Amino acid sequence: MTETKTKTNDSQRLKQQAVDSWLRTIPDDPGGLLRRKFLYQREQELRERQRQTWQ
């Protein structure tokens, strides 16, 4: 039973290490994310205005 728990813990630890490693590949750029959000919102507003114009 202890061997099974050890294998499970090792497996969970390896999975967590893989997730942590993957997360470190994502750029930490909050300013860039905010710029993209504003750009996206602006594009949505323009699309909505165009849609209203054509109706």
Side-chain angles (χ1 to χ4, degrees), residues 1-50:
M1 179 134 179
T2 303
E3 185 177 326
T4 304
K5 285 184 178 181
T6 302
K7 286 183 182 180
T8 302
N9 288 340
D10 288 345
S11 175
Q12 289 173 344
R13 186 170 33 85
L14 288 173
K15 286 179 185 178
Q16 186 61 46
Q17 286 175 344
V19 169
D20 290 344
S21 176
W22 176 75
L23 286 173
R24 282 191 292 275
T25 66
I26 299 171
D28 185 18
D29 182 18
L33 292 174
L34 198 56
R35 281 190 298 276
R36 295 274 302 154
K37 176 186 175 187
F38 291 146
L39 177 62
Y40 175 77
Q41 288 175 334
R42 179 67 177 147
E43 289 171 350
Q44 292 296 91
E45 290 171 4
L46 291 174
R47 284 189 195 110
E48 182 62 26
R49 285 185 189 163
Q50 286 177 346

